[in-house]
Amino acid sequence: MKKFHPFFIIGTVGMILTSVLHMFLALGLSVSSAHTSFFVIYPIFIAFLSIGFGLTLKKQKESETT
């Protein structure tokens, strides 16, 4: 099994939990003002996910060459 960088795991779990919470607030409770707070949260977890993805690829390429 491949070892993922912790930033990748944080980004993945954060995106899943944030999207579930966003759907619950938007559809379940019909809170229309909930959308504005998520415009800040999504890019943060996308940044974690992309940095973790890049670092995972870098580590994987380093392990293949050695």
Side-chain angles (χ1 to χ4, degrees), residues 45-64:
F45 286 122
I46 289 172
F48 274 112
L49 189 59
S50 60
I51 292 170
F53 183 73
L55 292 174
T56 300
L57 283 180
K58 181 181 174 185
K59 187 174 182 179
Q60 189 177 34
K61 286 183 181 181
E62 287 176 355
S63 67
E64 287 177 357

Side-chain angles (χ1 to χ4, degrees), residues 21-61:
L21 179 65
H22 191 185
M23 286 187 285
F24 174 70
L25 289 175
L27 299 174
L29 299 179
S30 299
V31 179
S32 61
S33 64
H35 303 295
T36 56
S37 63
F38 288 100
F39 284 126
V40 176
I41 297 172
Y42 281 122
I44 292 171
F45 286 122
I46 289 172
F48 274 112
L49 189 59
S50 60
I51 292 170
F53 183 73
L55 292 174
T56 300
L57 283 180
K58 181 181 174 185
K59 187 174 182 179
Q60 189 177 34
K61 286 183 181 181

